[in-house]
């Protein structure tokens, strides 16, 4: 069947077109739309029956009329072309060049919706990635193939942190770093520019492919963008054997776009107007990361999610947390105290850390040191709360020690320079410096051997 | 419900919901959809049109393509070869699919769930004679499925009657008949090593029975504080990252169930891989064999089609009932029942059904209850008692336990292990909140503990909970007026509660020594902490300063006891208790001397 054109648009609103008298259009197929000025838009069939089709228009339905709009059914799914030439290029949300260079030509074309990885085809991610950031490497380690989002708030330095991770991430014993897929969703021009310059100045630009949808670009295009970016990532990882780091910022804008369209479609809303399928929809995206049996490459995913009103229980971060393998949470309070990166360790978590650290991966004391720091810091938060009620002077001596520990922890361990790339050994040594403020018997989560070896009281 | 295939035509495709012109279709019927032959199920009828939910992605499907009603409901294959396997939400064998089709799951691929090529060594039941009257669930013979599990070949629910022929001992493949039966309708039917059963119909049994023993999970906060009986229902609600999956995996690893069915329902692919990769390397503490020999996985990960997610729970339960009917204690872990409920919501929304709360349909509560109702301890047709224990994780949005799925679940289950974000944030694992959790079976479980472990179990459990309650009360006071307001005795209470928390409740799944704790170890640790507390309280009454006690090195030793001694070293824990009692005696004597001196 060849492409067919229709001029039977019956309605156009909220990014959706209803086209009548179009039998046998395939669900999910790509559509081209020509408006009254002859300009082209792109769409996808999201409902189809014997008499009409519902079309999602990536560039939106603004300025369309019913009389002169032409719709052309392309008779193929939404696909992109894939080749190693992707690296170094910049595209929009549906994979069209944004860098004034020609489109990618290749006979490898793939549908962007992807299909689920067979769980039996996966292998468990367990290779420690050193990001050079103590709160991540020491306490919430990232491993190759993990999906670990940054939960942030507006105005917090999540983009600087993401850029630092991109610059510094590497395996301890490997020279070659990551290929980067960068996805910008609804971000400002200056934020996109920041990343581009950062990639350029660190000399990785040739190893990066960017998919950009700016704040003033059509929101509906954001629905396709992560899928397009991950299709490229899958190609680089599983066809080209590369280790791919995917950074997506800001996935909150993706979820907003989804809400917009689902409302227009009349889907039953669940919490805060987001559709009930937001969870599955996000999972389809995030589960594309991972490691696969007998494949050399991998996809590690670091999405940025800004929490509306800094609320971690808001449906977007909440559902994300239910899908991803942990989260790095930024705190406005730490940021206001001038701490960079303002990572709040208590709500932060890396679920895959357990298999990526320890004797053969980082150092034997690592798991216990992390657990001990957490226990002390959690205890110290109680002391902080108490101090804020009754005043620090009223605290017991024990509590004052916890308080001092927490302050030192924020200043020395959490806080570090944007260019400071700490090795995991440096991070662990720093941890012991802090642990050594406590007598041995206050440290029940580390072993006696650890204490003998690393506690400063034990060292002469 | 077995008629000939009927053909139809696709009318409309709306995501996973496909409308098909299919006269004579029946609700629940399986349908092959489109040229790709996708699998689906009729969920509603409207005139000549069947509303069908597709278990596979409908991308590329067109109106006008053919479809076929298959005449039977969603069913599973039950027979040897299930254990150790991983199946998708409609029981397709994922390992075979990987070998056949590579990394991604192709659409429209049909492979038998159970391996047809493999032969099994069948031993007919020596007591059965030709002409015997077969009743449903009676044992025809056995097959050694794994080294630990003897698979009992049963008379299928629809094949009872007179035994005409039974095969001699030997090697048989699944499709080879092992016997023939004349059913009451006069027909002669073949018996095979496997049969099929529709997943939405509970398997029959003789009668329900009550639970008599707790499921021992090796987790102190569960077994000692909030026990779950074999054959009953439990839930683990908690916000993301609180440890629902970890707790379920710990139970899957260490519990004394015979068979474990782990249903990954709308959760992460890597979590299933974790089980697949780690279980074969782990030893069952009861049989010493590798854990995968008694485990099977049903996986509908969060990126797989939503509709098959709803089915996956029924698939898991049906397989569990099948092993129950063989006389086994089966444990079903469903992670997460919230994703199952969301799949219901998704479909009901697409059907335009009226939502009642947070988008959920009115039948949420009754469906949920019906699912949990499939748990139970029963008297089987021919293999004595068997049980299905069901433990569901619940993932409340925003961690809010008042949302519909958590609230309804709470009404249904008997054991509620509530996970707390605060505990998880402080890395207090398992983050089971002792205030919000409950078990309705403490007294029944006590009979077992008193008989098998120690007569003082229920008392000690009560004292520990009382101490924890005091701790919460005192902490509130401290937060209002500061620690100075507390008496020495009260400060020692706080210390006692801390010992219970660190020395008993906290139990790292990652610590090889403490990951599993036998009931005896559980009790000894509890007793140790309580003894320290009581002895200390006595001394404080005598006037010993609390500061003196807080710095005793034995406290650190006691806190570390759980990771120092494993479940086989309970004698060491007993020794430790004696030493500690002596140490306290020492302190008492010294203090008495000091007092004397002062006078
Ligand atoms: N008993 C435990 N021992 C040690 N660590 C634990 C334990 N329970 C939980 N954790 C830690 O908490 C992390 C999160 O646990 P888990 O994945 O079970 O959470 P969850 O409640 O299932 O979250 P979600 O709803 O997002 O699936 C684990 O990766 C592990 O690091
Ligand atoms: Mg989980």
């Amino acid at each position: 069947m060849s492409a067919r054109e229709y001029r039977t648009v019956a309605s156009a609103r909220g990014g959706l077109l209803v086209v009548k008298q179009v039998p046998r259009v395939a669900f999910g197929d790509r559509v081209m739309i020509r408006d009254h000025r002859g300009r082209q838009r792109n769409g996808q069939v999201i409902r189809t029956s014997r008499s009409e089709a519902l079309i999602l228009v990536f560039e939106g339905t603004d300025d369309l009329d019913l009389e002169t709009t032409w719709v052309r059914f392309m008779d193929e799914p939404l696909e992109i072309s894939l080749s190693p030439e992707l690296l170094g290029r910049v595209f929009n949300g549906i994979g069209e060049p944004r860098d004034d260079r020609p489109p990618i030509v290749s006979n490898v074309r793939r549908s962007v919706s992807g299909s689920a990885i067979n769980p039996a085809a996966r292998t468990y991610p367990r290779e420690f990635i050193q990001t050079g950031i103590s709160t991540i490497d020491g306490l919430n380690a990232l491993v190759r193939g993990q999906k670990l989002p940054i939960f942030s708030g507006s105005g917090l330095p999540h983009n600087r942190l993401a850029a630092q991770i991109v610059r510094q991430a590497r395996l301890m014993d490997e020279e070659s770093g990551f290929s980067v897929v960068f996805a910008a969703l609804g971000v400002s021009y200056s934020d996109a520019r920041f990343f581009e310059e950062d990639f350029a100045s660190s000399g990785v630009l040739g190893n990066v492919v960017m998919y950009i949808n700016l704040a003033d670009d059509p929101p509906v295009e954001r629905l396709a963008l992560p899928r397009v970016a991950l299709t490229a990532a899958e190609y680089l990882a599983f066809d080209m054997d590369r280790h791919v780091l995917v950074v997506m910022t800001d996935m909150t804008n993706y979820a907003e776009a989804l809400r917009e369209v689902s409302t227009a479609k009349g889907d039953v809303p669940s919490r805060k107007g987001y559709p009930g399928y937001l969870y599955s929809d996000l999972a389809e995206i995030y589960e594309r990361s991972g490691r696969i049996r007998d494949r050399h490459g991998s996809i590690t995913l670091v999405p940025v999610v800004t929490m509306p009103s800094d609320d971690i229980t808001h449906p977007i971060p909440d559902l994300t947390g239910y899908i991803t393998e942990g989260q790095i949470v930024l705190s406005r309070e730490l940021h206001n105290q001038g701490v960079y990166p303002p990572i709040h360790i208590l709500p932060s978590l890396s679920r895959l850390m357990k298999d990526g650290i320890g004797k053969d991966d980082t150092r034997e004391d690592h798991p216990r040191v992390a657990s001990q720091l957490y226990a002390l810091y959690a205890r110290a938060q109680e002391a902080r709360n108490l101090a804020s009620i009754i005043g620090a002077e009223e605290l017991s001596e024990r509590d004052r020690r916890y308080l001092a520990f927490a302050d030192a922890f924020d200043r020395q361990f959490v806080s570090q320079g944007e260019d400071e790339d700490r090795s995991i050994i440096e991070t662990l040594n720093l941890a012991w410096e802090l642990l050594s403020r406590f007598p041995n018997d206050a440290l029940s989560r580390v072993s006696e051997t650890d204490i003998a070896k690393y506690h400063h009281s034990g060292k002469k | 419900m077995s008629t000939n295939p009927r053909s139809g035509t696709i009318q409309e495709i709306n995501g996973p919901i496909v409308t098909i012109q299919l006269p004579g279709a029946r609700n629940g019927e399986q349908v092959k959809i489109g040229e790709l032959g996708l699998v689906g199920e009729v969920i509603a009828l409207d005139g000549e049109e069947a509303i069908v939910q597709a278990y596979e992605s409908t991308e590329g499907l067109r109106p006008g393509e053919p479809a076929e009603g298959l005449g039977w409901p969603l069913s599973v294959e039950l027979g040897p070869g299930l254990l150790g396997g991983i199946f998708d939400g409609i029981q397709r064998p994922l390992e075979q699919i990987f070998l056949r089709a590579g990394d991604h799951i192709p659409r429209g691929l049909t492979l038998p769930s159970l391996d047809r090529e493999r032969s099994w060594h069948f031993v007919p039941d020596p007591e059965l004679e030709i002409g015997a009257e077969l009743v449903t669930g009676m044992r025809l013979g056995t097959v050694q499925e794994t080294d630990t599990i003897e698979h009992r070949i049963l008379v299928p629910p629809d094949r009872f009657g007179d035994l005409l022929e039974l095969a001699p001992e030997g090697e048989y493949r699944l499709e080879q008949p092992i016997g023939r039966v004349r059913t009451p309708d006069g027909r002669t039917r073949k018996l095979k090593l496997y049969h099929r059963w529709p997943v939405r119909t509970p398997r029959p049994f003789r009668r329900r029975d009550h639970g008599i023993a707790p499921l021992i999970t090796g987790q102190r906060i569960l077994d000692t504080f909030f026990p779950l009986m074999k054959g009953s229902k439990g839930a683990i609600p908690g916000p993301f990252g609180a440890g629902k999956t970890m707790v379920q995996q710990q139970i899957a690893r260490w519990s004394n169930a015979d068979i474990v069915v782990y249903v990954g329902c709308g959760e992460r692919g890597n979590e299933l891989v974790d089980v697949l990769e780690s279980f074969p390397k782990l030893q069952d503490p009861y049989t010493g064999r590798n854990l995968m020999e008694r485990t099977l996985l049903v996986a509908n990960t969060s990126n797989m089609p939503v509709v098959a997610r709803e089915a996956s729970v029924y698939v898991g339960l049906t397989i569990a009932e099948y092993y129950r009917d063989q006389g086994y204690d089966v444990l079903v872990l469903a992670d997460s029942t919230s994703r199952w409920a969301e799949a219901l919501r998704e479909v009901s929304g697409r059907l335009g059904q009226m939502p009642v709360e947070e988008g959920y349909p009115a039948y949420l509560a009754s469906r949920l209850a019906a699912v949990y109702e499939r748990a139970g301890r029963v008297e089987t047709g021919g293999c004595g008692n068997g049980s299905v224990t069901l433990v569901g994780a619940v993932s409340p949005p925003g961690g809010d336990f008042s949302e519909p799925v958590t609230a309804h679940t709470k009404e249904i289950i008997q054991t509620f292990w509530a996970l707390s974000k605060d505990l998880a944030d402080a890395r207090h694992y398992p983050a089971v909140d002792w205030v919000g959790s409950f078990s309705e079976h403490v007294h029944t479980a006590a009979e077992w503990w008193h008989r098998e472990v120690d007569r003082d179990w229920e008392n000690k459990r009560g004292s520990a909970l009382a101490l924890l309650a005091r701790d919460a009360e005192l902490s509130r006071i401290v937060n209002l007026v500061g620690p100075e307001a507390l008496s020495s005795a009260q400060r020692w209470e706080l210390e006692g509660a801390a010992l219970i928390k660190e020395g008993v409740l906290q139990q790292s799944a990652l610590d090889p020594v403490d990951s599993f704790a036998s009931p005896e170890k559980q009790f000894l640790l509890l007793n140790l902490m309580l003894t320290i507390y009581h002895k200390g309280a006595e001394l404080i009454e005598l006037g010993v300063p609390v500061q003196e006690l807080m710095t005793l090195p034995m406290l650190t030793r006691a806190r570390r006891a759980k990771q120092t001694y494993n479940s086989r070293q309970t004698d060491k824990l007993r020794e430790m208790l004696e030493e500690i009692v002596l140490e306290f005696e020492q302190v008492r004597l010294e203090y008495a001397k000091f007092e004397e001196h002062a006078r």
Side-chain angles (χ1 to χ4, degrees), chain A residues 186-380:
Chain A
V187 302
S188 68
Y189 171 76
S190 65
D191 281 346
R193 186 89 205 133
F194 160 79
F195 276 100
E196 214 173 322
E197 279 169 4
D198 203 81
F199 296 148
S201 67
S202 51
V204 295
L205 207 48
N207 211 7
V208 179
V209 48
M210 292 193 250
Y211 293 90
I212 310 273
N213 169 287
L214 296 179
D216 55 357
D217 287 328
V220 183
E221 192 186 277
R222 290 169 204 158
L223 297 184
L225 193 144
R227 295 180 168 81
V228 169
L230 281 160
T231 305
E234 283 169 351
Y235 172 78
L236 295 172
F238 304 126
D239 290 43
M240 306 306 295
D241 289 342
R242 290 168 192 266
H243 292 290
V244 182
L245 179 63
V246 182
V247 174
M248 309 205 273
T249 181
D250 171 346
M251 281 300 281
T252 297
N253 294 330
Y254 170 85
E256 301 293 2
L258 191 71
R259 174 167 68 172
E260 220 173 292
V261 170
S262 77
T263 310
K265 257 179 22 190
D267 293 333
V268 181
S270 63
R271 284 173 72 220
K272 297 213 161 138
Y274 294 91
Y277 52 79
L278 179 59
Y279 173 84
S280 303
D281 188 279
L282 289 173
E284 267 173 27
I285 294 171
Y286 293 141
E287 279 285 315
R288 288 170 81 166
S289 61
R291 300 228 57 177
I292 290 184
R293 258 154 89 172
D294 312 325
R295 301 267 172 194
H296 178 73
S298 62
I299 298 179
T300 308
L301 198 58
V302 180
V304 169
V305 176
T306 51
M307 304 180 277
S309 328
D310 292 353
D311 176 10
I312 197 167
T313 68
H314 182 282
I316 300 173
D318 188 52
L319 293 178
T320 305
Y322 273 120
I323 297 164
T324 53
E325 287 145 346
Q327 64 280 336
I328 301 295
V329 182
L330 303 191
S331 137
R332 195 165 299 279
E333 202 181 322
L334 284 175
H335 178 65
N336 290 343
Q337 287 162 16
V339 173
Y340 174 88
I343 294 175
H344 187 17
I345 65 159
L346 294 184
S348 298
L349 169 71
S350 165
R351 297 162 195 248
L352 301 189
M353 165 155 151
K354 60 184 167 73
D355 285 295
I357 62 166
K359 188 159 134 277
D360 301 323
D361 306 288
T362 52
R363 203 170 80 183
E364 83 286 357
D365 57 327
H366 190 167
R368 293 180 297 274
V369 166
S371 169
Q372 185 67 69
L373 281 176
Y374 261 104
L376 294 173
Y377 197 69
R379 179 70 183 70

Side-chain angles (χ1 to χ4, degrees), chain B residues 322-594:
Chain B
Y322 172 64
Y323 282 98
R324 172 203 69 189
D325 293 346
Q326 298 173 39
Y328 289 117
D329 288 323
V330 188
L331 171 65
V332 181
L333 299 160
D335 188 9
S336 156
T337 58
S338 294
R339 308 300 166 221
W340 168 87
E342 285 162 15
L344 275 192
R345 174 172 71 184
E346 173 79 18
V347 171
S348 86
R350 300 236 183 201
L351 290 179
Q353 287 165 345
M354 189 62 159
V356 293
E357 28 180 10
E358 299 199 10
Y360 286 104
Y363 49 79
L364 170 68
S366 59
R367 289 273 177 98
L368 201 55
V371 162
Y372 274 102
E373 203 48 31
R374 290 180 76 167
R377 183 160 175 274
V378 306
E379 191 182 314
T380 66
C383 297
N385 281 105
S387 67
V388 171
T389 311
L390 174 57
V391 176
V394 189
S395 317
D400 170 11
F401 285 9
S402 67
E403 61 89 35
V405 182
T406 318
H408 291 307
T409 303
K410 198 170 176 179
E411 299 287 304
I412 297 166
I413 49 73
Q414 289 126 4
T415 299
F416 193 70
W417 293 317
L419 302 188
S420 131
K421 176 165 166 51
D422 287 343
L423 290 177
D425 279 358
R427 276 22 177 201
H428 172 120
Y429 293 129
V432 177
D433 165 20
W434 48 93
V435 181
S437 300
F438 64 82
S439 164
E440 291 172 4
H441 288 151
V442 177
H443 289 304
T444 338
E447 286 173 26
W448 183 91
W449 280 89
H450 293 170
R451 193 174 64 239
E452 303 288 331
V453 183
D454 195 291
R455 303 238 323 263
D456 226 11
W457 178 80
E458 200 169 0
N459 277 336
K460 292 274 190 280
R461 173 186 179 275
S463 319
L465 284 174
L467 192 54
L468 291 168
R470 283 286 289 157
D471 173 65
E473 216 174 287
L474 295 173
S475 302
R476 262 194 300 277
I477 298 178
V478 171
N479 276 324
L480 284 176
V481 288
E484 297 310 313
L486 297 188
S487 68
S488 296
Q490 288 172 327
R491 272 202 263 168
W492 185 244
E493 280 180 309
L494 289 180
E495 189 63 24
L499 275 173
I500 299 280
K501 288 186 222 168
E502 287 171 50
V504 181
L505 301 185
Q506 292 182 11
Q507 184 175 2
S508 172
L510 309 176
D511 181 338
V513 175
D514 200 34
S515 185
F516 166 81
S518 67
E520 198 187 1
K521 177 177 173 183
Q522 299 190 22
F523 181 79
L524 289 171
L525 282 174
L526 179 66
N527 192 27
L528 183 67
M529 305 308 153
L530 284 173
T531 307
I532 293 176
Y533 167 68
H534 288 304
K535 292 281 167 201
E538 281 168 28
L539 293 188
I540 286 177
E541 196 131 306
L542 289 177
V544 179
V546 64
Q547 217 43 49
E548 196 98 335
L549 296 180
M550 305 260 259
T551 48
L552 287 173
M554 72 165 87
L555 297 188
T556 315
R557 271 184 60 215
R559 280 189 168 92
R560 286 211 182 110
K562 60 179 184 184
Q563 71 223 36
T564 317
Y565 304 117
N566 66 31
S567 293
R568 282 183 302 276
Q569 296 168 302
T570 44
D571 48 332
K572 299 277 190 198
L573 285 171
R574 286 181 218 279
E575 274 169 34
M576 190 167 186
L577 181 70
E578 281 168 26
E579 284 165 28
I580 281 176
V581 172
L582 280 179
E583 261 181 74
F584 271 111
E585 201 43 44
Q586 207 67 37
V587 178
R588 183 206 297 273
L589 290 177
E590 268 166 36
Y591 182 71
K593 237 188 264 161
F594 168 81

Side-chain angles (χ1 to χ4, degrees), chain A residues 27 48 113 115 279 318 322 348, chain B residues 13 59-60 104 266 277 396 398 427:
Chain A
F27 180 75
T48 167
S113 49
S115 55
Y279 173 84
D318 188 52
Y322 273 120
S348 298
Chain B
I13 302 127
E59 189 176 284
H104 296 263
E277 289 184 8
R427 276 22 177 201

Side-chain angles (χ1 to χ4, degrees), chain A residues 321-322 351, chain B residues 239-246 267-268 429 507-509:
Chain A
Y322 273 120
R351 297 162 195 248
Chain B
F240 66 80
K244 298 178 290 299
T245 304
M246 280 297 249
E267 296 289 309
R268 304 169 184 83
Y429 293 129
Q507 184 175 2
S508 172

Side-chain angles (χ1 to χ4, degrees), chain B residues 294-338:
Chain B
R294 64 158 200 189
T295 309
L296 70 96
L297 305 178
V298 177
N300 176 284
T301 53
S302 57
N303 55 339
M304 289 168 147
V306 175
V307 182
R309 194 163 303 166
E310 191 260 347
S312 64
V313 169
Y314 297 99
V315 166
L317 279 167
T318 307
I319 295 173
E321 287 174 346
Y322 172 64
Y323 282 98
R324 172 203 69 189
D325 293 346
Q326 298 173 39
Y328 289 117
D329 288 323
V330 188
L331 171 65
V332 181
L333 299 160
D335 188 9
S336 156
T337 58
S338 294

Side-chain angles (χ1 to χ4, degrees), chain B residues 37-245:
Chain B
L38 309 181
V39 192
E41 174 177 357
V42 179
I43 49 170
L45 296 170
D46 188 3
E48 299 216 313
E49 288 185 340
I51 317 292
V52 173
Q53 53 178 9
Y55 295 132
E56 304 178 79
S57 159
T58 53
E59 189 176 284
L61 214 57
R62 293 170 196 275
E65 281 187 42
E68 196 185 332
L70 300 178
W72 62 73
L74 177 62
S75 306
V76 285
E77 293 184 352
L78 302 169
L82 289 165
L83 293 177
I86 176 168
F87 303 92
D88 79 355
I90 52 172
Q91 211 205 9
R92 284 183 296 197
L94 288 170
E95 180 66 30
Q96 278 66 27
I97 289 180
F98 168 69
L99 296 174
R100 174 81 71 93
D103 306 343
H104 296 263
I105 302 173
R107 292 183 295 162
L109 179 70
T110 40
L111 284 179
S113 306
L114 296 175
D115 190 347
R116 294 296 190 272
E117 302 305 316
R118 182 160 173 194
S119 321
W120 298 93
H121 188 80
F122 173 69
V123 182
D125 195 307
E127 319 243 299
L128 267 185
E129 286 174 11
I130 302 305
E133 192 195 335
L134 298 183
V135 299
T136 295
M138 204 178 210
R139 187 198 304 221
L140 291 167
T142 58
V143 155
Q144 198 66 42
E145 184 174 2
T146 63
D147 281 325
T148 42
I149 300 296
E150 175 191 84
H151 195 110
R152 293 152 193 167
I153 307 298
L154 307 178
V155 176
D158 59 346
R159 302 266 156 121
F160 50 88
D162 298 327
L163 181 63
L164 299 178
E165 190 187 337
L166 189 61
E169 178 171 345
E171 306 292 315
Y172 298 88
R173 288 193 300 274
L174 290 185
E175 293 292 5
Q176 284 175 303
I178 52 141
R180 283 184 306 131
V181 60
R182 182 178 301 116
T183 49
D185 57 5
R187 287 171 59 192
T188 303
R189 308 188 67 173
K190 284 181 195 148
L191 296 166
K192 293 182 183 169
L193 288 178
Y194 84 104
H195 64 274
R196 302 182 65 88
W197 186 257
V199 300
R200 296 185 200 279
T201 311
R203 285 175 64 86
F205 47 81
R206 202 167 280 168
R207 77 174 70 86
R208 279 192 187 271
D209 227 332
H210 53 272
I212 49 166
L215 183 82
I216 297 301
T217 67
Q219 312 303 302
R220 290 183 288 270
I221 182 80
L222 311 187
D223 297 348
T224 299
F225 289 89
F226 305 104
L228 174 73
M229 303 300 286
K230 282 184 183 166
S232 77
K233 324 157 195 181
I236 313 178
F240 66 80
K244 298 178 290 299
T245 304

